[in-house]
Amino acid sequence: ITKLQPLCSKSADQERLVAAVVERYGRVDVFVSNVATNPAMGTMLESTTEKIWDVVFSTNVKSHFFLTKRLVPHMKAGSNIVFISSYAGYLPSPILGVYSLTKTTLLALTRVLSRELGPRGISVNC
């Protein structure tokens, strides 16, 4: 069992990670996606700039989706994907603003991908 910890919000980093995993193991059986950032505290309207919005969504949603998209071709029936969300996804907090929004989005992404990949025998949970 090997743990790799690259920064995976950039395409090139994701491609290197997938290539390394496939070269070493030939396939992906389990993918646990646990990445998040929250550079702003306070109400969403007062504390969220466009730059903060872009950084938080890129890290907390986009990176999960596109790394998953790159890994799925190397998964077979019986493989598992696990996204790590947050309590803030279920009970959004006014002081966590955009972070809460991205964690709720991650819950929806889990449901969508579960329905898409379930028929292929790949489970997706959060």
Side-chain angles (χ1 to χ4, degrees):
I1 296 174
T2 301
K3 180 173 81 171
L4 300 170
Q5 290 181 300
L7 296 172
C8 284
S9 61
K10 296 181 180 159
S11 277
D13 294 333
Q14 292 179 0
E15 290 168 4
R16 279 193 293 277
L17 173 64
V18 172
V21 168
V22 172
E23 180 180 325
R24 183 163 183 173
Y25 300 105
R27 67 181 196 273
V28 177
D29 296 321
V30 177
F31 171 48
V32 177
S33 190
N34 183 24
V35 62
T37 190
N38 185 33
M41 292 289 285
T43 64
M44 192 159 44
L45 292 175
E46 292 177 5
S47 67
T48 305
T49 64
E50 187 171 355
K51 181 178 180 178
I52 288 171
W53 180 278
D54 290 345
V55 167
V56 176
F57 262 90
S58 179
T59 303
N60 297 7
V61 179
K62 183 180 175 183
S63 63
H64 289 275
F65 173 76
F66 283 101
L67 186 52
T68 300
K69 183 175 178 173
R70 287 181 169 90
L71 289 169
V72 164
H74 307 285
M75 297 178 127
K76 307 259 187 249
S79 296
N80 298 281
I81 298 168
V82 179
F83 295 123
I84 306 300
S85 184
S86 166
Y87 185 73
Y90 294 99
L91 187 63
S93 169
I95 65 166
L96 293 177
V98 70
Y99 173 85
S100 292
L101 183 60
T102 62
K103 292 305 180 172
T104 301
T105 303
L106 193 55
L107 296 172
L109 176 63
T110 301
R111 289 182 184 110
V112 169
L113 291 179
S114 179
R115 295 182 95 180
E116 182 175 340
L117 297 174
R120 294 170 52 181
I122 299 172
S123 70
V124 184
N125 296 287
C126 192

